[in-house]
Amino acid sequence: MGNTKTVKAAKVGYIVTSLILCGTGAFLMAQPGLSIKLIGRMTGMLLIVCGIIKLVGYFSRDLYRLAFQFDLAFGLLSVVMGFLLLFRTEGVVLTLHVIIGVMALADGLFKLQTALDARRFGLERWWMIAAMAAISAVFGLLLVAAPFAGAVALMTLTGITFFAEGVLNLCVALCAVKIIENKKEEKG
């Protein structure tokens, strides 16, 4: 696959997984009383898919190299955490909110750096990335601190965090991934 095709595939993957994160977040907000085991397995599959997309993004070469700059480590972490949630659900599910919180906090902080780098590059919508990164990081921190008692409150907060992460990644994909088309001149 050529470089342009790889970047396009990564961008489309980012957009699709962002929409899936938003949908999952909305679903968890609407149905916070679902089985924690089911939510753990769904989250595991979601993390694996997101991790693979992040890895594809990292190995693509977008013009500014902003959107995917931290995605090697974060993609690997997502895949590993996804497999843990998928195959060790019972052992990990009680700390699900902490796992998701740490990942959202880390992603928010990394994307804050991406936003500041985008500003230096002169990208106009860098502030959208910064705002969503801060929001995502705050919700991640809230999940880690777990100031709310009860599973329903934690699942609702998890849904909000997923939704914020989806919007953040959508902003990054739309604002920071630039694709340069290589057009070959026809000789005639």
Side-chain angles (χ1 to χ4, degrees):
M1 188 174 346
N3 185 46
T4 302
K5 289 182 182 177
T6 305
V7 175
K8 281 183 182 178
K11 184 174 183 173
V12 168
Y14 243 65
I15 291 169
V16 169
T17 55
S18 297
L19 295 174
I20 292 171
L21 277 169
C22 287
T24 303
F27 180 73
L28 287 176
M29 286 185 274
Q31 299 290 326
L34 286 178
S35 159
I36 191 79
K37 215 184 249 192
L38 174 65
I39 291 170
R41 288 198 174 111
M42 285 175 33
T43 302
M45 288 186 286
L46 183 61
L47 286 173
I48 292 168
V49 170
C50 289
I52 290 169
I53 296 298
K54 285 184 178 293
L55 290 171
V56 170
Y58 178 80
F59 289 107
S60 71
R61 297 180 189 260
D62 68 301
L63 179 62
Y64 296 119
R65 302 196 187 196
L66 289 173
F68 310 124
Q69 64 183 327
F70 304 111
D71 283 357
L72 176 62
F74 207 74
L76 290 172
L77 178 64
S78 293
V79 170
V80 168
M81 295 310 292
F83 277 112
L84 276 174
L85 281 170
L86 203 56
F87 295 111
R88 301 283 298 167
T89 307
E90 291 81 18
V92 180
V93 82
L94 294 176
T95 59
L96 178 65
H97 66 281
V98 175
I99 293 167
I100 294 168
V102 167
M103 293 186 76
L105 176 61
D107 194 38
L109 295 175
F110 287 143
K111 293 292 187 337
L112 188 58
Q113 181 177 338
T114 299
L116 296 176
D117 291 342
R119 180 179 179 204
R120 264 200 324 257
F121 273 100
L123 298 180
E124 294 176 14
R125 293 182 279 174
W126 66 271
W127 59 271
M128 290 173 65
I129 299 169
M132 284 311 305
I135 291 169
S136 187
V138 166
F139 283 124
L141 185 60
L142 284 173
L143 272 178
V144 171
F148 308 106
V152 172
L154 279 175
M155 280 305 114
T156 302
L157 185 58
T158 300
I160 293 168
T161 305
F162 273 150
F163 193 85
E165 273 289 299
V167 173
L168 169 60
N169 286 308
L170 191 59
C171 285
V172 169
L174 296 176
C175 298
V177 179
K178 300 297 176 200
I179 301 169
I180 299 291
E181 297 285 342
N182 293 328
K183 296 185 179 184
K184 295 181 182 179
E185 294 181 30
E186 291 183 30
K187 294 182 181 181

